[in-house]
PDB file of all heavy atoms in Angstrom:
ATOM      1  N   ASP A   1       0.863  -1.104  -0.003  1.00 93.00           N
ATOM      2  CA  ASP A   1       0.019   0.000  -0.047  1.00 93.00           C
ATOM      3  C   ASP A   1       0.936   1.202  -0.021  1.00 93.00           C
ATOM      4  O   ASP A   1       1.673   1.418   0.947  1.00 93.00           O
ATOM      5  CB  ASP A   1      -0.916   0.047   1.220  1.00 93.00           C
ATOM      6  CG  ASP A   1      -1.882  -1.107   1.153  1.00 93.00           C
ATOM      7  OD1 ASP A   1      -2.240  -1.563   0.076  1.00 93.00           O
ATOM      8  OD2 ASP A   1      -2.372  -1.538   2.272  1.00 93.00           O
ATOM      9  N   VAL A   2       0.927   1.939  -1.098  1.00 94.00           N
ATOM     10  CA  VAL A   2       1.704   3.067  -1.275  1.00 94.00           C
ATOM     11  C   VAL A   2       0.772   4.365  -1.165  1.00 94.00           C
ATOM     12  O   VAL A   2      -0.424   4.171  -1.099  1.00 94.00           O
ATOM     13  CB  VAL A   2       2.521   3.198  -2.514  1.00 94.00           C
ATOM     14  CG1 VAL A   2       3.483   1.943  -2.610  1.00 94.00           C
ATOM     15  CG2 VAL A   2       1.689   3.209  -3.755  1.00 94.00           C
ATOM     16  N   ARG A   3       1.328   5.523  -1.126  1.00 92.00           N
ATOM     17  CA  ARG A   3       0.481   6.693  -1.038  1.00 92.00           C
ATOM     18  C   ARG A   3       0.761   7.630  -2.191  1.00 92.00           C
ATOM     19  O   ARG A   3       1.903   7.810  -2.589  1.00 92.00           O
ATOM     20  CB  ARG A   3       0.754   7.501   0.335  1.00 92.00           C
ATOM     21  CG  ARG A   3       0.262   6.648   1.498  1.00 92.00           C
ATOM     22  CD  ARG A   3       0.291   7.400   2.789  1.00 92.00           C
ATOM     23  NE  ARG A   3       1.779   7.599   3.112  1.00 92.00           N
ATOM     24  CZ  ARG A   3       2.138   8.256   4.232  1.00 92.00           C
ATOM     25  NH1 ARG A   3       1.203   8.816   5.014  1.00 92.00           N
ATOM     26  NH2 ARG A   3       3.425   8.426   4.501  1.00 92.00           N
ATOM     27  N   ARG A   4      -0.328   8.197  -2.725  1.00 91.00           N
ATOM     28  CA  ARG A   4      -0.201   9.204  -3.766  1.00 91.00           C
ATOM     29  C   ARG A   4       0.086  10.511  -3.117  1.00 91.00           C
ATOM     30  O   ARG A   4      -0.477  10.900  -2.095  1.00 91.00           O
ATOM     31  CB  ARG A   4      -1.509   9.273  -4.606  1.00 91.00           C
ATOM     32  CG  ARG A   4      -1.369  10.213  -5.742  1.00 91.00           C
ATOM     33  CD  ARG A   4      -2.449  10.147  -6.756  1.00 91.00           C
ATOM     34  NE  ARG A   4      -2.124  11.082  -7.860  1.00 91.00           N
ATOM     35  CZ  ARG A   4      -3.033  11.457  -8.734  1.00 91.00           C
ATOM     36  NH1 ARG A   4      -4.321  10.916  -8.620  1.00 91.00           N
ATOM     37  NH2 ARG A   4      -2.705  12.325  -9.619  1.00 91.00           N
ATOM     38  N   VAL A   5       1.038  11.244  -3.702  1.00 92.00           N
ATOM     39  CA  VAL A   5       1.398  12.529  -3.182  1.00 92.00           C
ATOM     40  C   VAL A   5       0.687  13.663  -3.873  1.00 92.00           C
ATOM     41  O   VAL A   5       0.708  13.690  -5.091  1.00 92.00           O
ATOM     42  CB  VAL A   5       2.992  12.756  -3.349  1.00 92.00           C
ATOM     43  CG1 VAL A   5       3.377  14.081  -2.905  1.00 92.00           C
ATOM     44  CG2 VAL A   5       3.707  11.589  -2.751  1.00 92.00           C
ATOM     45  N   LEU A   6      -0.007  14.482  -3.095  1.00 89.00           N
ATOM     46  CA  LEU A   6      -0.702  15.706  -3.667  1.00 89.00           C
ATOM     47  C   LEU A   6      -0.126  16.894  -2.986  1.00 89.00           C
ATOM     48  O   LEU A   6      -0.123  16.997  -1.712  1.00 89.00           O
ATOM     49  CB  LEU A   6      -2.158  15.510  -3.450  1.00 89.00           C
ATOM     50  CG  LEU A   6      -2.868  14.402  -4.159  1.00 89.00           C
ATOM     51  CD1 LEU A   6      -4.280  14.228  -3.766  1.00 89.00           C
ATOM     52  CD2 LEU A   6      -2.746  14.566  -5.755  1.00 89.00           C
ATOM     53  N   ASP A   7       0.219  17.903  -3.671  1.00 85.00           N
ATOM     54  CA  ASP A   7       0.758  19.131  -3.183  1.00 85.00           C
ATOM     55  C   ASP A   7       1.885  18.890  -2.153  1.00 85.00           C
ATOM     56  O   ASP A   7       1.951  19.491  -1.097  1.00 85.00           O
ATOM     57  CB  ASP A   7      -0.327  19.922  -2.515  1.00 85.00           C
ATOM     58  CG  ASP A   7      -1.392  20.464  -3.500  1.00 85.00           C
ATOM     59  OD1 ASP A   7      -1.017  20.779  -4.630  1.00 85.00           O
ATOM     60  OD2 ASP A   7      -2.621  20.477  -3.141  1.00 85.00           O
ATOM     61  N   GLY A   8       2.692  17.921  -2.440  1.00 82.00           N
ATOM     62  CA  GLY A   8       3.879  17.600  -1.634  1.00 82.00           C
ATOM     63  C   GLY A   8       3.620  16.837  -0.305  1.00 82.00           C
ATOM     64  O   GLY A   8       4.521  16.663   0.440  1.00 82.00           O
ATOM     65  N   VAL A   9       2.389  16.391  -0.216  1.00 83.00           N
ATOM     66  CA  VAL A   9       1.959  15.655   0.975  1.00 83.00           C
ATOM     67  C   VAL A   9       1.456  14.212   0.578  1.00 83.00           C
ATOM     68  O   VAL A   9       0.489  14.176  -0.153  1.00 83.00           O
ATOM     69  CB  VAL A   9       0.961  16.411   1.837  1.00 83.00           C
ATOM     70  CG1 VAL A   9       0.509  15.550   3.025  1.00 83.00           C
ATOM     71  CG2 VAL A   9       1.445  17.776   2.173  1.00 83.00           C
ATOM     72  N   PRO A  10       2.053  13.134   1.087  1.00 78.00           N
ATOM     73  CA  PRO A  10       1.511  11.824   0.763  1.00 78.00           C
ATOM     74  C   PRO A  10       0.148  11.616   1.463  1.00 78.00           C
ATOM     75  O   PRO A  10       0.122  11.638   2.664  1.00 78.00           O
ATOM     76  CB  PRO A  10       2.650  10.888   1.287  1.00 78.00           C
ATOM     77  CG  PRO A  10       3.574  11.662   2.008  1.00 78.00           C
ATOM     78  CD  PRO A  10       3.203  13.091   1.897  1.00 78.00           C
ATOM     79  N   VAL A  11      -0.884  11.384   0.663  1.00 85.00           N
ATOM     80  CA  VAL A  11      -2.199  11.327   1.287  1.00 85.00           C
ATOM     81  C   VAL A  11      -2.980  10.055   0.906  1.00 85.00           C
ATOM     82  O   VAL A  11      -3.530   9.472   1.782  1.00 85.00           O
ATOM     83  CB  VAL A  11      -2.967  12.633   1.028  1.00 85.00           C
ATOM     84  CG1 VAL A  11      -2.445  13.762   1.865  1.00 85.00           C
ATOM     85  CG2 VAL A  11      -3.117  12.982  -0.384  1.00 85.00           C
ATOM     86  N   HIS A  12      -3.260   9.915  -0.367  1.00 82.00           N
ATOM     87  CA  HIS A  12      -4.177   8.870  -0.786  1.00 82.00           C
ATOM     88  C   HIS A  12      -3.528   7.489  -0.864  1.00 82.00           C
ATOM     89  O   HIS A  12      -2.629   7.323  -1.653  1.00 82.00           O
ATOM     90  CB  HIS A  12      -4.733   9.227  -2.136  1.00 82.00           C
ATOM     91  CG  HIS A  12      -5.561  10.465  -2.127  1.00 82.00           C
ATOM     92  ND1 HIS A  12      -6.737  10.523  -1.591  1.00 82.00           N
ATOM     93  CD2 HIS A  12      -5.335  11.711  -2.651  1.00 82.00           C
ATOM     94  CE1 HIS A  12      -7.312  11.760  -1.703  1.00 82.00           C
ATOM     95  NE2 HIS A  12      -6.410  12.490  -2.383  1.00 82.00           N
ATOM     96  N   PRO A  13      -4.035   6.507  -0.112  1.00 90.00           N
ATOM     97  CA  PRO A  13      -3.443   5.137  -0.153  1.00 90.00           C
ATOM     98  C   PRO A  13      -3.905   4.458  -1.545  1.00 90.00           C
ATOM     99  O   PRO A  13      -4.997   4.625  -1.972  1.00 90.00           O
ATOM    100  CB  PRO A  13      -4.026   4.435   1.036  1.00 90.00           C
ATOM    101  CG  PRO A  13      -5.266   5.177   1.411  1.00 90.00           C
ATOM    102  CD  PRO A  13      -4.983   6.582   0.902  1.00 90.00           C
ATOM    103  N   ILE A  14      -2.919   3.780  -2.172  1.00 93.00           N
ATOM    104  CA  ILE A  14      -3.112   3.094  -3.416  1.00 93.00           C
ATOM    105  C   ILE A  14      -2.467   1.731  -3.293  1.00 93.00           C
ATOM    106  O   ILE A  14      -1.383   1.701  -2.733  1.00 93.00           O
ATOM    107  CB  ILE A  14      -2.448   3.901  -4.532  1.00 93.00           C
ATOM    108  CG1 ILE A  14      -2.944   5.306  -4.652  1.00 93.00           C
ATOM    109  CG2 ILE A  14      -2.562   3.164  -5.947  1.00 93.00           C
ATOM    110  CD1 ILE A  14      -3.975   5.606  -5.648  1.00 93.00           C
ATOM    111  N   ARG A  15      -3.082   0.696  -3.795  1.00 95.00           N
ATOM    112  CA  ARG A  15      -2.472  -0.625  -3.796  1.00 95.00           C
ATOM    113  C   ARG A  15      -1.483  -0.693  -5.008  1.00 95.00           C
ATOM    114  O   ARG A  15      -1.857  -0.335  -6.103  1.00 95.00           O
ATOM    115  CB  ARG A  15      -3.731  -1.636  -3.996  1.00 95.00           C
ATOM    116  CG  ARG A  15      -3.200  -3.129  -3.900  1.00 95.00           C
ATOM    117  CD  ARG A  15      -2.481  -3.346  -2.717  1.00 95.00           C
ATOM    118  NE  ARG A  15      -2.612  -4.695  -2.273  1.00 95.00           N
ATOM    119  CZ  ARG A  15      -2.016  -5.117  -1.243  1.00 95.00           C
ATOM    120  NH1 ARG A  15      -1.318  -4.338  -0.478  1.00 95.00           N
ATOM    121  NH2 ARG A  15      -2.190  -6.367  -0.932  1.00 95.00           N
ATOM    122  N   ALA A  16      -0.342  -1.206  -4.762  1.00 96.00           N
ATOM    123  CA  ALA A  16       0.608  -1.275  -5.836  1.00 96.00           C
ATOM    124  C   ALA A  16       1.170  -2.770  -5.843  1.00 96.00           C
ATOM    125  O   ALA A  16       1.500  -3.360  -4.814  1.00 96.00           O
ATOM    126  CB  ALA A  16       1.780  -0.293  -5.566  1.00 96.00           C
ATOM    127  N   GLU A  17       1.232  -3.270  -7.060  1.00 96.00           N
ATOM    128  CA  GLU A  17       1.878  -4.545  -7.242  1.00 96.00           C
ATOM    129  C   GLU A  17       3.032  -4.387  -8.274  1.00 96.00           C
ATOM    130  O   GLU A  17       2.816  -3.888  -9.306  1.00 96.00           O
ATOM    131  CB  GLU A  17       0.864  -5.528  -7.852  1.00 96.00           C
ATOM    132  CG  GLU A  17      -0.078  -6.164  -6.813  1.00 96.00           C
ATOM    133  CD  GLU A  17      -0.861  -7.456  -7.408  1.00 96.00           C
ATOM    134  OE1 GLU A  17      -0.464  -7.908  -8.486  1.00 96.00           O
ATOM    135  OE2 GLU A  17      -1.693  -7.876  -6.614  1.00 96.00           O
ATOM    136  N   PHE A  18       4.184  -4.836  -7.849  1.00 97.00           N
ATOM    137  CA  PHE A  18       5.387  -4.753  -8.576  1.00 97.00           C
ATOM    138  C   PHE A  18       5.657  -6.206  -9.096  1.00 97.00           C
ATOM    139  O   PHE A  18       5.776  -7.143  -8.278  1.00 97.00           O
ATOM    140  CB  PHE A  18       6.536  -4.290  -7.823  1.00 97.00           C
ATOM    141  CG  PHE A  18       6.411  -2.880  -7.288  1.00 97.00           C
ATOM    142  CD1 PHE A  18       5.543  -2.637  -6.236  1.00 97.00           C
ATOM    143  CD2 PHE A  18       7.150  -1.853  -7.794  1.00 97.00           C
ATOM    144  CE1 PHE A  18       5.384  -1.265  -5.717  1.00 97.00           C
ATOM    145  CE2 PHE A  18       7.068  -0.565  -7.292  1.00 97.00           C
ATOM    146  CZ  PHE A  18       6.239  -0.296  -6.239  1.00 97.00           C
ATOM    147  N   ARG A  19       5.862  -6.306 -10.443  1.00 96.00           N
ATOM    148  CA  ARG A  19       6.059  -7.555 -11.033  1.00 96.00           C
ATOM    149  C   ARG A  19       7.333  -7.586 -11.830  1.00 96.00           C
ATOM    150  O   ARG A  19       7.668  -6.568 -12.480  1.00 96.00           O
ATOM    151  CB  ARG A  19       4.875  -8.017 -12.005  1.00 96.00           C
ATOM    152  CG  ARG A  19       3.649  -8.248 -11.146  1.00 96.00           C
ATOM    153  CD  ARG A  19       2.555  -8.761 -12.041  1.00 96.00           C
ATOM    154  NE  ARG A  19       1.338  -8.930 -11.296  1.00 96.00           N
ATOM    155  CZ  ARG A  19       1.038 -10.055 -10.522  1.00 96.00           C
ATOM    156  NH1 ARG A  19       1.936 -11.015 -10.579  1.00 96.00           N
ATOM    157  NH2 ARG A  19      -0.087 -10.144  -9.817  1.00 96.00           N
ATOM    158  N   PHE A  20       7.981  -8.716 -11.940  1.00 94.00           N
ATOM    159  CA  PHE A  20       9.216  -8.894 -12.726  1.00 94.00           C
ATOM    160  C   PHE A  20       9.099 -10.159 -13.555  1.00 94.00           C
ATOM    161  O   PHE A  20       8.612 -11.203 -13.031  1.00 94.00           O
ATOM    162  CB  PHE A  20      10.360  -9.006 -11.768  1.00 94.00           C
ATOM    163  CG  PHE A  20      11.723  -9.312 -12.498  1.00 94.00           C
ATOM    164  CD1 PHE A  20      12.426  -8.346 -13.154  1.00 94.00           C
ATOM    165  CD2 PHE A  20      12.168 -10.584 -12.376  1.00 94.00           C
ATOM    166  CE1 PHE A  20      13.605  -8.639 -13.825  1.00 94.00           C
ATOM    167  CE2 PHE A  20      13.343 -10.949 -13.098  1.00 94.00           C
ATOM    168  CZ  PHE A  20      14.056  -9.984 -13.716  1.00 94.00           C
ATOM    169  N   ASP A  21       9.530  -9.996 -14.796  1.00 91.00           N
ATOM    170  CA  ASP A  21       9.480 -11.157 -15.775  1.00 91.00           C
ATOM    171  C   ASP A  21      10.877 -11.400 -16.262  1.00 91.00           C
ATOM    172  O   ASP A  21      11.406 -10.489 -16.911  1.00 91.00           O
ATOM    173  CB  ASP A  21       8.489 -10.936 -16.849  1.00 91.00           C
ATOM    174  CG  ASP A  21       8.279 -12.130 -17.783  1.00 91.00           C
ATOM    175  OD1 ASP A  21       9.126 -13.111 -17.652  1.00 91.00           O
ATOM    176  OD2 ASP A  21       7.389 -12.106 -18.646  1.00 91.00           O
ATOM    177  N   ALA A  22      11.534 -12.498 -16.009  1.00 88.00           N
ATOM    178  CA  ALA A  22      12.881 -12.741 -16.498  1.00 88.00           C
ATOM    179  C   ALA A  22      13.009 -12.747 -17.978  1.00 88.00           C
ATOM    180  O   ALA A  22      14.162 -12.565 -18.463  1.00 88.00           O
ATOM    181  CB  ALA A  22      13.378 -14.064 -15.887  1.00 88.00           C
ATOM    182  N   VAL A  23      11.969 -12.902 -18.701  1.00 86.00           N
ATOM    183  CA  VAL A  23      12.023 -12.799 -20.147  1.00 86.00           C
ATOM    184  C   VAL A  23      12.307 -11.331 -20.646  1.00 86.00           C
ATOM    185  O   VAL A  23      12.957 -11.108 -21.584  1.00 86.00           O
ATOM    186  CB  VAL A  23      10.669 -13.205 -20.754  1.00 86.00           C
ATOM    187  CG1 VAL A  23      10.604 -13.034 -22.254  1.00 86.00           C
ATOM    188  CG2 VAL A  23      10.415 -14.695 -20.400  1.00 86.00           C
ATOM    189  N   SER A  24      11.865 -10.392 -19.819  1.00 87.00           N
ATOM    190  CA  SER A  24      12.052  -8.948 -20.144  1.00 87.00           C
ATOM    191  C   SER A  24      12.751  -8.354 -18.883  1.00 87.00           C
ATOM    192  O   SER A  24      12.123  -7.495 -18.212  1.00 87.00           O
ATOM    193  CB  SER A  24      10.829  -8.227 -20.420  1.00 87.00           C
ATOM    194  OG  SER A  24      10.230  -8.767 -21.643  1.00 87.00           O
ATOM    195  N   PRO A  25      13.970  -8.674 -18.498  1.00 90.00           N
ATOM    196  CA  PRO A  25      14.512  -8.215 -17.235  1.00 90.00           C
ATOM    197  C   PRO A  25      14.847  -6.812 -17.073  1.00 90.00           C
ATOM    198  O   PRO A  25      15.046  -6.349 -15.986  1.00 90.00           O
ATOM    199  CB  PRO A  25      15.796  -9.084 -17.166  1.00 90.00           C
ATOM    200  CG  PRO A  25      16.226  -9.328 -18.649  1.00 90.00           C
ATOM    201  CD  PRO A  25      14.912  -9.483 -19.386  1.00 90.00           C
ATOM    202  N   MET A  26      14.900  -6.000 -18.190  1.00 91.00           N
ATOM    203  CA  MET A  26      15.183  -4.622 -18.048  1.00 91.00           C
ATOM    204  C   MET A  26      13.978  -3.798 -17.571  1.00 91.00           C
ATOM    205  O   MET A  26      14.066  -2.716 -17.201  1.00 91.00           O
ATOM    206  CB  MET A  26      15.611  -4.076 -19.403  1.00 91.00           C
ATOM    207  CG  MET A  26      16.950  -4.564 -19.928  1.00 91.00           C
ATOM    208  SD  MET A  26      17.337  -3.865 -21.399  1.00 91.00           S
ATOM    209  CE  MET A  26      19.104  -4.019 -21.422  1.00 91.00           C
ATOM    210  N   VAL A  27      12.822  -4.523 -17.452  1.00 92.00           N
ATOM    211  CA  VAL A  27      11.568  -3.754 -17.213  1.00 92.00           C
ATOM    212  C   VAL A  27      10.866  -4.376 -15.978  1.00 92.00           C
ATOM    213  O   VAL A  27      10.854  -5.533 -15.837  1.00 92.00           O
ATOM    214  CB  VAL A  27      10.573  -3.812 -18.442  1.00 92.00           C
ATOM    215  CG1 VAL A  27       9.252  -3.264 -18.155  1.00 92.00           C
ATOM    216  CG2 VAL A  27      11.242  -3.262 -19.640  1.00 92.00           C
ATOM    217  N   VAL A  28      10.255  -3.526 -15.157  1.00 95.00           N
ATOM    218  CA  VAL A  28       9.349  -4.007 -14.097  1.00 95.00           C
ATOM    219  C   VAL A  28       7.983  -3.342 -14.402  1.00 95.00           C
ATOM    220  O   VAL A  28       7.868  -2.255 -14.999  1.00 95.00           O
ATOM    221  CB  VAL A  28       9.822  -3.608 -12.734  1.00 95.00           C
ATOM    222  CG1 VAL A  28      11.153  -4.320 -12.337  1.00 95.00           C
ATOM    223  CG2 VAL A  28       9.970  -2.103 -12.479  1.00 95.00           C
ATOM    224  N   SER A  29       6.947  -4.164 -14.013  1.00 95.00           N
ATOM    225  CA  SER A  29       5.613  -3.770 -14.209  1.00 95.00           C
ATOM    226  C   SER A  29       5.064  -3.327 -12.824  1.00 95.00           C
ATOM    227  O   SER A  29       5.256  -4.047 -11.845  1.00 95.00           O
ATOM    228  CB  SER A  29       4.733  -4.792 -14.803  1.00 95.00           C
ATOM    229  OG  SER A  29       5.170  -5.134 -16.100  1.00 95.00           O
ATOM    230  N   MET A  30       4.350  -2.195 -12.835  1.00 96.00           N
ATOM    231  CA  MET A  30       3.759  -1.735 -11.580  1.00 96.00           C
ATOM    232  C   MET A  30       2.293  -1.472 -11.929  1.00 96.00           C
ATOM    233  O   MET A  30       1.944  -0.683 -12.745  1.00 96.00           O
ATOM    234  CB  MET A  30       4.417  -0.484 -11.044  1.00 96.00           C
ATOM    235  CG  MET A  30       5.871  -0.680 -10.739  1.00 96.00           C
ATOM    236  SD  MET A  30       6.669   0.857 -10.282  1.00 96.00           S
ATOM    237  CE  MET A  30       6.585   1.712 -11.866  1.00 96.00           C
ATOM    238  N   THR A  31       1.398  -2.117 -11.112  1.00 96.00           N
ATOM    239  CA  THR A  31      -0.106  -1.948 -11.312  1.00 96.00           C
ATOM    240  C   THR A  31      -0.530  -1.139 -10.040  1.00 96.00           C
ATOM    241  O   THR A  31      -0.379  -1.616  -8.918  1.00 96.00           O
ATOM    242  CB  THR A  31      -0.804  -3.203 -11.455  1.00 96.00           C
ATOM    243  OG1 THR A  31      -0.391  -3.852 -12.553  1.00 96.00           O
ATOM    244  CG2 THR A  31      -2.347  -2.861 -11.602  1.00 96.00           C
ATOM    245  N   PHE A  32      -1.032   0.050 -10.228  1.00 95.00           N
ATOM    246  CA  PHE A  32      -1.569   0.878  -9.175  1.00 95.00           C
ATOM    247  C   PHE A  32      -3.068   0.823  -9.217  1.00 95.00           C
ATOM    248  O   PHE A  32      -3.675   1.109 -10.148  1.00 95.00           O
ATOM    249  CB  PHE A  32      -1.076   2.311  -9.335  1.00 95.00           C
ATOM    250  CG  PHE A  32       0.362   2.491  -9.227  1.00 95.00           C
ATOM    251  CD1 PHE A  32       1.207   2.453 -10.390  1.00 95.00           C
ATOM    252  CD2 PHE A  32       0.974   2.592  -8.039  1.00 95.00           C
ATOM    253  CE1 PHE A  32       2.486   2.650 -10.295  1.00 95.00           C
ATOM    254  CE2 PHE A  32       2.381   2.810  -7.880  1.00 95.00           C
ATOM    255  CZ  PHE A  32       3.147   2.823  -9.061  1.00 95.00           C
ATOM    256  N   THR A  33      -3.682   0.411  -8.069  1.00 94.00           N
ATOM    257  CA  THR A  33      -5.129   0.185  -7.998  1.00 94.00           C
ATOM    258  C   THR A  33      -5.691   1.074  -6.841  1.00 94.00           C
ATOM    259  O   THR A  33      -5.305   0.632  -5.652  1.00 94.00           O
ATOM    260  CB  THR A  33      -5.543  -1.305  -7.834  1.00 94.00           C
ATOM    261  OG1 THR A  33      -4.864  -2.045  -8.836  1.00 94.00           O
ATOM    262  CG2 THR A  33      -7.016  -1.474  -7.931  1.00 94.00           C
ATOM    263  N   PRO A  34      -6.502   2.060  -7.091  1.00 88.00           N
ATOM    264  CA  PRO A  34      -7.115   2.805  -6.003  1.00 88.00           C
ATOM    265  C   PRO A  34      -8.162   1.893  -5.365  1.00 88.00           C
ATOM    266  O   PRO A  34      -8.504   0.851  -5.858  1.00 88.00           O
ATOM    267  CB  PRO A  34      -7.777   3.943  -6.701  1.00 88.00           C
ATOM    268  CG  PRO A  34      -7.902   3.541  -8.146  1.00 88.00           C
ATOM    269  CD  PRO A  34      -6.895   2.535  -8.463  1.00 88.00           C
ATOM    270  N   TRP A  35      -8.540   2.340  -4.155  1.00 82.00           N
ATOM    271  CA  TRP A  35      -9.502   1.428  -3.445  1.00 82.00           C
ATOM    272  C   TRP A  35     -10.785   1.277  -4.070  1.00 82.00           C
ATOM    273  O   TRP A  35     -11.434   0.293  -3.978  1.00 82.00           O
ATOM    274  CB  TRP A  35      -9.660   2.084  -1.997  1.00 82.00           C
ATOM    275  CG  TRP A  35      -8.435   2.031  -1.215  1.00 82.00           C
ATOM    276  CD1 TRP A  35      -7.653   3.109  -0.814  1.00 82.00           C
ATOM    277  CD2 TRP A  35      -7.723   0.913  -0.769  1.00 82.00           C
ATOM    278  NE1 TRP A  35      -6.541   2.692  -0.206  1.00 82.00           N
ATOM    279  CE2 TRP A  35      -6.523   1.333  -0.184  1.00 82.00           C
ATOM    280  CE3 TRP A  35      -7.951  -0.484  -0.887  1.00 82.00           C
ATOM    281  CZ2 TRP A  35      -5.611   0.471   0.389  1.00 82.00           C
ATOM    282  CZ3 TRP A  35      -7.013  -1.418  -0.344  1.00 82.00           C
ATOM    283  CH2 TRP A  35      -5.863  -0.885   0.287  1.00 82.00           C
ATOM    284  N   ARG A  36     -11.129   2.276  -4.849  1.00 83.00           N
ATOM    285  CA  ARG A  36     -12.379   2.193  -5.715  1.00 83.00           C
ATOM    286  C   ARG A  36     -11.946   2.542  -7.177  1.00 83.00           C
ATOM    287  O   ARG A  36     -11.399   3.630  -7.383  1.00 83.00           O
ATOM    288  CB  ARG A  36     -13.437   3.178  -5.347  1.00 83.00           C
ATOM    289  CG  ARG A  36     -14.034   2.836  -3.983  1.00 83.00           C
ATOM    290  CD  ARG A  36     -15.131   3.770  -3.712  1.00 83.00           C
ATOM    291  NE  ARG A  36     -15.619   3.409  -2.346  1.00 83.00           N
ATOM    292  CZ  ARG A  36     -15.708   4.322  -1.381  1.00 83.00           C
ATOM    293  NH1 ARG A  36     -15.437   5.590  -1.595  1.00 83.00           N
ATOM    294  NH2 ARG A  36     -16.265   3.932  -0.151  1.00 83.00           N
ATOM    295  N   GLY A  37     -12.102   1.584  -8.091  1.00 82.00           N
ATOM    296  CA  GLY A  37     -11.727   1.897  -9.473  1.00 82.00           C
ATOM    297  C   GLY A  37     -10.768   0.867 -10.065  1.00 82.00           C
ATOM    298  O   GLY A  37     -10.423  -0.142  -9.335  1.00 82.00           O
ATOM    299  N   ARG A  38     -10.458   1.124 -11.256  1.00 89.00           N
ATOM    300  CA  ARG A  38      -9.650   0.174 -11.985  1.00 89.00           C
ATOM    301  C   ARG A  38      -8.171   0.516 -11.848  1.00 89.00           C
ATOM    302  O   ARG A  38      -7.795   1.647 -11.690  1.00 89.00           O
ATOM    303  CB  ARG A  38     -10.006   0.215 -13.525  1.00 89.00           C
ATOM    304  CG  ARG A  38     -11.440  -0.207 -13.783  1.00 89.00           C
ATOM    305  CD  ARG A  38     -11.843  -0.089 -15.156  1.00 89.00           C
ATOM    306  NE  ARG A  38     -10.881  -0.734 -16.093  1.00 89.00           N
ATOM    307  CZ  ARG A  38     -10.794  -0.515 -17.281  1.00 89.00           C
ATOM    308  NH1 ARG A  38     -11.546   0.399 -17.875  1.00 89.00           N
ATOM    309  NH2 ARG A  38      -9.954  -1.151 -18.031  1.00 89.00           N
ATOM    310  N   GLY A  39      -7.310  -0.527 -11.988  1.00 90.00           N
ATOM    311  CA  GLY A  39      -5.932  -0.293 -11.868  1.00 90.00           C
ATOM    312  C   GLY A  39      -5.334   0.150 -13.145  1.00 90.00           C
ATOM    313  O   GLY A  39      -5.857  -0.042 -14.207  1.00 90.00           O
ATOM    314  N   VAL A  40      -4.101   0.740 -13.040  1.00 92.00           N
ATOM    315  CA  VAL A  40      -3.309   1.223 -14.189  1.00 92.00           C
ATOM    316  C   VAL A  40      -1.933   0.572 -14.091  1.00 92.00           C
ATOM    317  O   VAL A  40      -1.380   0.554 -12.975  1.00 92.00           O
ATOM    318  CB  VAL A  40      -3.248   2.746 -14.152  1.00 92.00           C
ATOM    319  CG1 VAL A  40      -2.328   3.190 -15.343  1.00 92.00           C
ATOM    320  CG2 VAL A  40      -4.547   3.370 -14.338  1.00 92.00           C
ATOM    321  N   THR A  41      -1.451  -0.013 -15.153  1.00 95.00           N
ATOM    322  CA  THR A  41      -0.170  -0.640 -15.209  1.00 95.00           C
ATOM    323  C   THR A  41       0.815   0.215 -15.979  1.00 95.00           C
ATOM    324  O   THR A  41       0.585   0.613 -17.111  1.00 95.00           O
ATOM    325  CB  THR A  41      -0.208  -2.082 -15.769  1.00 95.00           C
ATOM    326  OG1 THR A  41      -1.194  -2.895 -15.056  1.00 95.00           O
ATOM    327  CG2 THR A  41       1.100  -2.726 -15.855  1.00 95.00           C
ATOM    328  N   TRP A  42       1.941   0.368 -15.265  1.00 95.00           N
ATOM    329  CA  TRP A  42       3.050   1.082 -15.994  1.00 95.00           C
ATOM    330  C   TRP A  42       4.296   0.104 -16.019  1.00 95.00           C
ATOM    331  O   TRP A  42       4.441  -0.671 -15.133  1.00 95.00           O
ATOM    332  CB  TRP A  42       3.528   2.325 -15.147  1.00 95.00           C
ATOM    333  CG  TRP A  42       2.713   3.501 -15.327  1.00 95.00           C
ATOM    334  CD1 TRP A  42       1.444   3.712 -14.813  1.00 95.00           C
ATOM    335  CD2 TRP A  42       3.061   4.671 -15.992  1.00 95.00           C
ATOM    336  NE1 TRP A  42       1.009   4.977 -15.183  1.00 95.00           N
ATOM    337  CE2 TRP A  42       1.952   5.543 -15.879  1.00 95.00           C
ATOM    338  CE3 TRP A  42       4.212   5.118 -16.712  1.00 95.00           C
ATOM    339  CZ2 TRP A  42       1.989   6.829 -16.601  1.00 95.00           C
ATOM    340  CZ3 TRP A  42       4.231   6.329 -17.347  1.00 95.00           C
ATOM    341  CH2 TRP A  42       3.076   7.133 -17.253  1.00 95.00           C
ATOM    342  N   ARG A  43       5.002   0.192 -17.142  1.00 95.00           N
ATOM    343  CA  ARG A  43       6.233  -0.610 -17.232  1.00 95.00           C
ATOM    344  C   ARG A  43       7.369   0.381 -17.371  1.00 95.00           C
ATOM    345  O   ARG A  43       7.432   1.294 -18.259  1.00 95.00           O
ATOM    346  CB  ARG A  43       6.152  -1.473 -18.481  1.00 95.00           C
ATOM    347  CG  ARG A  43       5.197  -2.577 -18.332  1.00 95.00           C
ATOM    348  CD  ARG A  43       4.886  -3.294 -19.662  1.00 95.00           C
ATOM    349  NE  ARG A  43       3.826  -4.286 -19.436  1.00 95.00           N
ATOM    350  CZ  ARG A  43       2.531  -4.086 -19.386  1.00 95.00           C
ATOM    351  NH1 ARG A  43       2.138  -2.907 -19.493  1.00 95.00           N
ATOM    352  NH2 ARG A  43       1.636  -5.074 -19.146  1.00 95.00           N
TER     353      ARG A  43
END
C-alpha cells in the first residue's frame, strides 16, 4: 500500500503490485489500483 502525493504531501493510499518477468529483465511492471476503481499498469 503506497500513497499518492498531492501538493507535496503523501495522502491517498493506493494498492501497488510490482512484477518482474525474467523474459524482459530490463523492465518492471507496476499496477496501481485505487481502493475504488480500475488499476493502471506502468512498465
